[in-house]
Amino acid sequence: MAERHVVRLTVNGESVERLVEPRKTLADFLRQDVELTGTHLGCEHGVCGACTVLLDGDPVRSCLLFAVQADGARVGTVEGLAHDGLHPIQEAFHDHFALQCGYCTPGMLMTVHDLLQRSPSPTREEIRKALAGNICRCTGYHAIVDAVEAAAARLRAAPPREAAR
Amino acid sequence: MATSGTRPRAVGRPVKRVEDGRLLAGQGRFVDDLHLPRMVHAAFVRSPHAHARVRHVSVSRALALPGVVAVLTADEAARLCHPWRGILTDYVGMKTALQYPLALDKVRYVGEPVVAVAAADRYVAEDACDLVEVEYETLPAVVDPEAAMRPGTPLIHEELGDNVIYRGGFDKGEVDQAFARAHRVYRDRFVVGRQTCVALEPRSLVAAYEPREGSLSVWISSQVPHMMQAIFARILGLPEQKIRVVAPDVGGSFGLKIHCYSDDVAACLLAMRLGRPVKWIADRLESFATDIHCREHLVDVEAAVSADGTVLGLRSRAITGVGPWSCYPRSSVVEGNQVIRLLTGPYRIRNYKAELNVVAQNKALMSQYRAVGHPIASMVMESMLDRAARDLQLDPVEIRRRNLVRRDELPYTTAFGYVFESGSYLESLELALDKGGYARWREEQARGRREGRHLGIGLSCFIELTAPGSFYGSGGAPISAQDSATVRVEPGGTVTALIGVTNQGQGAHTAFAQIIADQLGVSVEDVNVMSGDTALVPYGGGTSGSRGAVLGAGASILACRAVAEKVRRIAGHLLEAAPDDVELRDGKVSVRGAPDRSLTLADIGFRVYYQSDKLPRDLEPSLEATAHYTPARPITWANGVHMVVVEVDVETGLVKILRYVTVEDCGPMINPALVAEQVRGAVVQGIGSTLYEHVVYDAEGQLLTRTLMDYLVPGAAEMPDIEVHHLETPSPFTLGGFKGIAEAGTAGAPGAILNAVNDALAPFGVRLTRQPITPDLIRSALRQAPALNRDGRR
């Protein structure tokens, strides 16, 4: 059995300290050790995007990182998007039927959150490019693109108090 | 009736989904989110070979690894359960071998489970798998379906005598005469590659056994909890009442999660042996290797066509390779059968002869994926129509107009024997042409050709087999033809509904809440729908065959009618009115024409649940009813038309979709937004089938497509916006007139896209009959093109 290491980080603003094996992925760490199961695993090889979280503000594949690599970092997950209720991006997904089974949705939301921070008025083409690393098997993407357009408009009109870190 | 009132009807409106809040907040409850005390994790040693004898297995080093709690070998697994066989008895003459949880004497496909391990966590379980030693003696692999049929080919199951699982067909009308009087006969071979479902949530299971009770609870990512209860009972030798199967949130399924998988059975056996909960979650490699595959077909077709474009007759000969076993319990012969049966589509073709061979091979098992058989049948027919149209110098629209079944011909019986009772075949085509701007795109295409751009326009007119009321049960499979609903008015006047149909993202809970709200005159928010738990809901068939909306709605309507009748009788007593004069609307129960004489459902709930002693003895103190529903006809046919415009880059071979327009007719829509999203999602899966998705094995049966980088699924960047239009032709035979919709998009896309690509490539004299249409396929066809001919005819 491999030696365990202390990992200290913040997840959605809360300090977390756990003892983990070096081979444990950040995704498994979040799901099993921190018990935040909103981050989903679809491929465990970095293609599907379901496990996307924010690491020090940047979107990353939590299945391709070890928990020990996130030592000292700020991690943001879907559970931290809104303090209470829903974030405007989440509301837009609801309004536009932009989810079906909901399995890809957390990763999709984190990617969109990052996109709209960098680019507040993306075109449909730009939205589609930004979502290229998040596979949705249910919707066909059209409704997701609609939702992102609507969320962008909403965020331009009234930026929320930022929750995800 | 209960549906009238001042509150607008919920049915027919794009009511927002009741399922969304939790899922958006990361609070979904998928199987892998479940953690039970003392739970251990399963992993499997899997075959690296397509075909090999298992000479020796040694597990001692694995057992010695700290953290390992059990290692299950094939012999032990076989002793602990009853094997299963994927036969449907109504396919006369079909044969397949018994299947066991773990490979006994031979392995027959790459990824087949050989040994199961349970350990403290998945990491350790996989370490232990690496320590299991298996000695194989490799055998020649049977990979090619045509070769599998040839005498002298190695046998996958020696005891069966050959590799043919099923041989079938039919000969209807006067086929030879039709060919004798044809103006032209067109012959082609269509080759459709293997695919798989790729639900983003992999197959997942937690099994917990209580030895003192002899009870097994299984949380499984499944479309069919009652079917799983029945097959676990048969295989594990437990009585049904001791098995509870729960399908919590399910992350997509598309036909993937309706089968008996050997690793699922092995995980249950581990749980039973250990008396500890066992979690088993497939990883993506295991998904590619062991999820059911679909769509490996060769179709040779001949079409006899008159000078005016009338299709006089057809012959088809289909071969499909389905892996080593026919899948249990739905079998692996249905897709091939649907290919030949559905081939005539919505067209008036009276003379048709078809032959089918379903063969075994050393690849993963094949069974039902979204739109079973439809995409292949439709693609073949639509491509043949375009070929005939081009040769006869007819517009592709015109040849379809001449052959589509007209409304005044309904009910129409197809050559095979399907009966179309209602539909809008020509009307859908005209609407698609209008909305899609067909004439304008033809002009754009001509302009593009002058400028060196290669645009193509493709059409497909299709039928969709939905809501089968009888299908697998007639072949002996424990698969319900009926579905069910329990509807209960709670003491406070709100409504709980327990539905046999399940939800994998379709928005089923929303749709049924809309129906129930209208039936009982309450708001959608006052209805809570639950499903997916055999301990909770009445017996149901889950989802498959686009049955959920039709059967779930039917059962819900019947249950609501029974509840409303109870409410009316009790309210009639309390309001001193005849029950027939009592109506339910806006959450109130009142005497017709006297709105001041009214009660709320909460008033009635209080009387029934807490003061039933004061009700007359002949009034049952109940506000609950369970109803079961089977559609009156074996199949409810939906239909639609797709029009697609593509641009082909003849240098790179890339296909870009410029416009995608669909017309769908699923009868009255319960929720048009849910319908549109079912269509869009299904279209994109159809686009994936046609352009990208391909499970590839090499000549030795080694699986080459093992990651999402090798097996391409459609991404947001390549997909177009998809315009969805509706016609609503009610079924005369279902409650509410509803028809299914979930598979239509997947059925229609391949034909439309293949035709569009071929239309674009016609000036080069190129016509493709293979799927997926990869850039390589296009470029190599262009390299071999006979000549450049700008009007597109040879």
Side-chain angles (χ1 to χ4, degrees):
Chain A
M1 190 74 52
E3 190 188 336
R4 295 187 178 220
H5 295 259
V6 176
V7 176
R8 294 183 192 86
L9 67 168
T10 69
V11 180
N12 302 327
E14 282 180 30
S15 299
V16 170
E17 183 179 318
R18 298 282 190 282
L19 203 57
V20 298
E21 279 189 53
R23 66 176 173 173
K24 181 162 250 181
T25 64
L26 178 59
D28 283 348
F29 174 79
L30 291 168
R31 292 180 49 78
Q32 295 163 12
D33 297 60
V34 193
E35 297 187 67
L36 292 172
T37 54
T39 298
H40 295 153
L41 289 165
C43 71
E44 295 173 275
H45 52 253
V47 179
C48 81
C51 69
T52 304
V53 300
L54 302 179
L55 187 79
D56 291 330
D58 293 325
V60 297
R61 309 293 209 213
S62 60
C63 73
L64 293 185
L65 281 167
F66 295 112
V68 292
Q69 291 177 281
D71 188 37
R74 281 179 297 122
V75 175
T77 72
V78 67
E79 290 91 343
L81 269 184
H83 288 296
D84 45 30
L86 295 177
H87 186 277
I89 300 171
Q90 293 167 318
E91 283 171 3
F93 269 59
H94 178 53
D95 290 345
H96 291 270
F97 294 80
L99 64 155
Q100 288 183 27
C101 78
Y103 199 78
C104 74
T105 309
M108 205 57 94
L109 292 169
M110 300 318 279
T111 298
V112 172
H113 183 272
D114 173 65
L115 167 70
L116 297 182
Q117 295 242 305
R118 290 183 287 109
S119 168
S121 310
T123 64
R124 287 183 82 80
E125 199 66 29
E126 287 164 348
I127 294 167
R128 285 185 176 277
K129 283 209 174 101
L131 297 177
N134 289 77
I135 292 170
C136 170
R137 204 55 177 155
C138 297
T139 64
Y141 303 105
H142 183 131
I144 296 177
V145 179
D146 289 349
V148 178
E149 280 189 314
R154 232 175 270 185
L155 288 168
R156 287 195 302 274
R161 202 155 50 85
E162 205 42 62
R165 284 158 247 234
Chain B
M1 236 339 263
T3 49
S4 63
T6 50
R7 178 185 289 126
R9 277 166 50 95
V11 170
R13 288 194 298 122
V15 171
K16 285 188 204 165
R17 287 163 37 108
V18 301
E19 294 91 342
D20 285 357
R22 281 184 308 110
L23 297 171
L24 285 163
Q27 303 298 320
R29 287 187 290 271
F30 298 91
V31 170
D32 196 20
D33 302 338
L34 182 69
H35 184 81
L36 298 179
R38 301 187 76 236
M39 189 168 78
V40 292
H41 299 258
F44 291 87
V45 177
R46 295 181 180 278
S47 169
H49 303 294
H51 199 188
R53 263 178 227 297
V54 180
R55 283 297 180 204
H56 181 69
V57 177
S58 169
V59 302
S60 51
R61 289 177 63 212
L63 265 171
L65 186 73
V68 171
V69 297
V71 176
L72 186 69
T73 61
D75 289 333
E76 192 185 355
R79 279 198 303 276
L80 291 172
C81 72
H82 304 287
W84 57 94
R85 198 193 299 270
I87 292 281
L88 293 176
T89 54
D90 45 6
Y91 292 100
V92 176
M94 82 169 287
K95 62 179 192 285
T96 192
L98 282 172
Q99 223 186 320
Y100 293 84
L102 301 168
L104 273 169
D105 52 335
K106 287 213 297 190
V107 289
R108 295 179 174 87
Y109 64 99
V110 168
E112 183 176 354
V114 179
V115 173
V117 173
D121 68 32
R122 177 66 177 256
Y123 292 76
V124 175
E126 292 191 12
D127 289 345
C129 288
D130 289 344
L131 298 175
V132 173
E133 291 155 30
V134 186
E135 219 178 280
Y136 297 99
E137 176 196 336
T138 58
L139 298 168
V142 180
V143 177
D144 176 63
E146 282 187 299
M149 295 165 61
R150 279 185 213 122
T153 302
L155 296 180
I156 292 168
H157 297 279
E158 287 80 0
E159 69 274 24
L160 296 180
D162 63 24
N163 292 323
V164 178
I165 285 176
Y166 175 71
R167 219 172 238 133
F170 50 84
D171 187 352
K172 303 292 176 108
E174 308 286 340
V175 178
D176 291 343
Q177 287 91 321
F179 276 80
R181 66 194 157 93
H183 173 67
R184 288 270 199 280
V185 172
Y186 304 101
R187 290 186 184 83
D188 271 308
R189 161 166 280 205
F190 290 83
V191 181
V192 180
R194 263 195 181 226
Q195 280 184 242
T196 188
C197 308
V198 195
L200 210 53
E201 182 209 22
R203 295 192 290 111
S204 310
L205 172 150
V206 172
Y209 183 66
E210 168 41 65
R212 288 148 291 262
E213 291 178 354
S215 65
L216 179 74
S217 297
V218 183
W219 291 262
I220 182 169
S221 183
S222 175
Q223 302 171 233
V224 285
H226 278 106
M227 186 200 92
M228 293 310 299
Q229 181 193 46
I231 68 175
F232 283 144
R234 291 175 178 205
I235 291 171
L236 302 174
L238 296 170
E240 280 160 346
Q241 85 279 10
K242 294 288 191 183
I243 300 178
R244 176 184 180 190
V245 177
V246 184
D249 287 333
V250 174
S253 51
F254 320 114
L256 166 64
K257 298 167 181 175
I258 52 174
H259 310 284
C260 176
Y261 289 95
S262 44
D263 39 25
D264 289 348
V265 174
C268 290
L269 291 176
L270 280 171
M272 291 172 71
R273 209 180 84 176
L274 289 167
R276 290 175 72 165
V278 172
K279 179 182 277 190
W280 146 236
I281 311 288
D283 67 22
R284 190 50 60 187
L285 172 57
E286 291 176 307
S287 301
F288 279 121
T290 68
D291 284 358
I292 58 116
H293 293 173
C294 55
R295 310 279 202 257
E296 183 173 352
H297 299 276
L298 294 169
V299 186
D300 289 305
V301 64
E302 293 175 82
V305 182
S306 72
D308 68 357
T310 305
V311 182
L312 303 171
L314 279 178
R315 293 189 188 114
S316 72
R317 185 169 175 274
I319 301 174
T320 174
V322 298
W325 290 272
S326 171
C327 199
Y328 180 72
R330 279 178 155 77
S331 90
S332 301
V333 302
V334 173
E335 176 148 284
N337 269 288
Q338 292 200 176
V339 168
I340 58 172
R341 291 175 184 184
L342 293 165
L343 202 103
T344 50
Y347 301 106
R348 190 189 312 99
I349 301 171
R350 305 284 188 187
N351 309 301
Y352 178 30
K353 181 179 180 185
E355 185 190 322
L356 170 69
N357 280 285
V358 178
V359 302
Q361 33 166 206
N362 292 117
K363 299 182 182 177
L365 278 70
M366 198 165 101
S367 194
Q368 278 77 302
Y369 162 61
R370 197 174 198 169
V372 193
H374 290 71
I376 297 102
S378 170
M379 179 183 79
V380 169
M381 189 67 223
E382 294 301 316
S383 180
M384 295 311 282
L385 284 173
D386 267 26
R387 180 173 171 191
R390 188 170 298 282
D391 183 58
L392 301 172
Q393 298 183 50
L394 286 170
D395 190 285
V397 172
E398 195 47 42
I399 197 166
R400 285 172 174 75
R401 284 186 182 130
R402 290 179 191 181
N403 287 286
L404 281 169
V405 171
R406 294 187 311 271
R407 203 169 271 233
D408 61 18
E409 293 173 290
L410 300 176
Y412 173 83
T413 303
T414 71
F416 168 70
Y418 289 138
V419 182
F420 302 161
E421 283 118 357
S422 66
S424 54
Y425 312 107
L426 273 159
E427 296 82 350
S428 295
L429 174 62
E430 301 303 338
L431 183 60
L433 299 172
D434 178 43
K435 297 291 184 185
Y438 181 80
R440 284 195 312 282
W441 278 108
R442 282 285 174 219
E443 291 164 19
E444 185 70 24
Q445 180 184 40
R447 191 160 43 242
R449 278 185 182 156
R450 290 193 294 274
E451 296 163 1
R453 291 179 68 198
H454 305 284
L455 270 56
I457 305 166
L459 290 166
S460 76
C461 305
F462 60 91
I463 44 169
E464 187 197 354
L465 182 166
T466 81
S470 155
F471 211 104
Y472 297 103
S474 61
I479 297 170
S480 179
Q482 59 84 46
D483 228 292
S484 61
T486 294
V487 173
R488 173 166 70 236
V489 175
E490 300 288 359
T494 56
V495 180
T496 297
L498 310 170
I499 307 287
V501 168
T502 51
N503 193 15
Q504 298 83 38
Q506 301 91 332
H509 292 181
T510 307
F512 299 137
Q514 289 177 255
I515 286 181
I516 292 163
D518 282 356
Q519 291 289 319
L520 296 180
V522 301
S523 68
V524 171
E525 299 72 44
D526 283 341
V527 183
N528 186 33
V529 178
M530 287 182 273
S531 65
D533 184 345
T534 60
L536 186 70
V537 306
Y539 207 93
T543 57
S544 66
S546 296
R547 72 192 292 277
V550 176
L551 277 83
S556 297
I557 290 169
L558 292 177
C560 284
R561 284 180 186 166
V563 169
E565 183 54 30
K566 292 183 178 189
V567 170
R568 274 194 291 271
R569 291 184 64 206
I570 292 162
H573 163 74
L574 297 172
L575 294 169
E576 296 176 346
D580 286 351
D581 289 337
V582 174
E583 56 186 6
L584 285 73
R585 61 158 75 158
D586 299 344
K588 291 230 170 59
V589 183
S590 41
V591 179
R592 203 182 313 275
D596 54 319
R597 288 170 67 199
S598 81
L599 297 165
T600 64
L601 280 173
D603 295 332
I604 294 171
F606 197 89
R607 297 291 195 111
V608 168
Y609 289 104
Y610 306 133
Q611 297 176 341
S612 55
D613 53 312
K614 301 208 165 44
L615 290 174
R617 305 309 294 172
D618 63 336
L619 278 182
E620 185 194 7
S622 157
L623 294 175
E624 175 171 324
T626 297
H628 298 262
Y629 175 66
T630 304
R633 295 294 157 114
I635 296 166
T636 302
W637 292 96
N639 65 279
V641 172
H642 291 192
M643 185 195 123
V644 58
V645 182
V646 302
E647 179 166 359
V648 179
D649 183 327
V650 296
E651 301 301 320
T652 63
L654 284 169
V655 175
K656 184 173 186 200
I657 296 171
L658 303 180
R659 182 135 172 78
Y660 207 114
V661 177
T662 75
V663 173
E664 306 291 343
D665 189 342
C666 62
M669 290 182 287
I670 299 169
N671 182 325
L674 293 180
V675 169
E677 293 316 313
Q678 281 298 300
V679 171
R680 289 194 175 114
V683 164
V684 164
Q685 288 191 6
I687 295 172
S689 297
T690 319
L691 297 179
Y692 311 116
E693 297 184 38
H694 197 191
V695 172
V696 181
Y697 287 89
D698 72 10
E700 278 75 50
Q702 193 53 246
L703 177 65
L704 301 181
T705 43
R706 302 161 78 97
T707 73
L708 283 165
M709 285 184 288
D710 317 310
Y711 185 95
L712 301 183
V713 298
E718 308 88 62
M719 288 303 102
D721 282 348
I722 295 163
E723 204 173 293
V724 184
H725 299 279
H726 309 285
L727 287 173
E728 297 185 87
T729 310
S731 162
F733 296 107
T734 61
L735 276 176
F738 306 126
K739 304 174 180 180
I741 187 63
E743 299 168 281
T746 308
I753 295 169
L754 179 67
N755 280 347
V757 170
N758 281 335
D759 189 41
L761 297 178
F764 299 95
V766 165
R767 180 165 169 273
L768 305 173
T769 55
R770 184 177 278 268
Q771 176 189 300
I773 309 168
T774 60
D776 271 354
L777 181 69
I778 289 177
R779 280 187 319 216
S780 76
L782 283 169
R783 277 196 298 274
Q784 295 159 20
L788 289 182
N789 183 342
R790 289 233 168 251
D791 71 359
R793 289 193 300 125
R794 294 194 204 178

